[in-house]
Amino acid sequence: MTYKNFSNKLLGSLLAFTLFCCASSGFYLINDIADVESDRQHPIKCKRPIAAGLVKIPVATGMAVALLGSALTIGWLRSPQLGAAITA
């Protein structure tokens, strides 16, 4: 394996890792938005940024859309296999 081939595979892997992190963060935000009312009643979860009101729901929604949208778009543009894996 040549150095260039290795570096291309490494960069591709790092991109895939980053996109999966973006997608999972987007879903984490969606989950926190969906559970905000019950989290506000919980003694520990009430300290989470959305439940505590430190991050407003529209801001969290925008971030979730941006994270998921960019992860899916970049994944599908990079390769259909990566896009399908992120979608799944």
Side-chain angles (χ1 to χ4, degrees):
M1 181 181 306
T2 65
Y3 176 76
K4 182 175 171 113
N5 192 15
F6 174 76
S7 64
N8 284 342
K9 288 185 183 229
L10 179 62
L11 289 174
S13 297
L14 289 173
L15 175 64
F17 174 77
T18 302
L19 295 177
F20 275 104
C21 288
C22 288
S24 66
S25 296
F27 277 111
Y28 180 84
L29 286 168
I30 290 170
N31 182 59
D32 269 6
I33 293 165
D35 295 341
V36 71
E37 291 305 322
S38 63
D39 286 353
R40 286 181 177 152
Q41 306 304 316
H42 193 275
I44 296 173
K45 293 180 182 180
C46 68
K47 294 177 175 54
R48 291 181 176 175
I50 297 172
L54 300 173
V55 175
K56 303 298 180 200
I57 291 176
V59 173
T61 303
M63 283 302 301
V65 168
L67 287 165
L68 285 169
S70 62
L72 289 169
T73 301
I74 295 169
W76 280 102
L77 289 173
R78 177 73 166 108
S79 77
Q81 295 86 359
L82 180 57
I86 294 169
T87 301

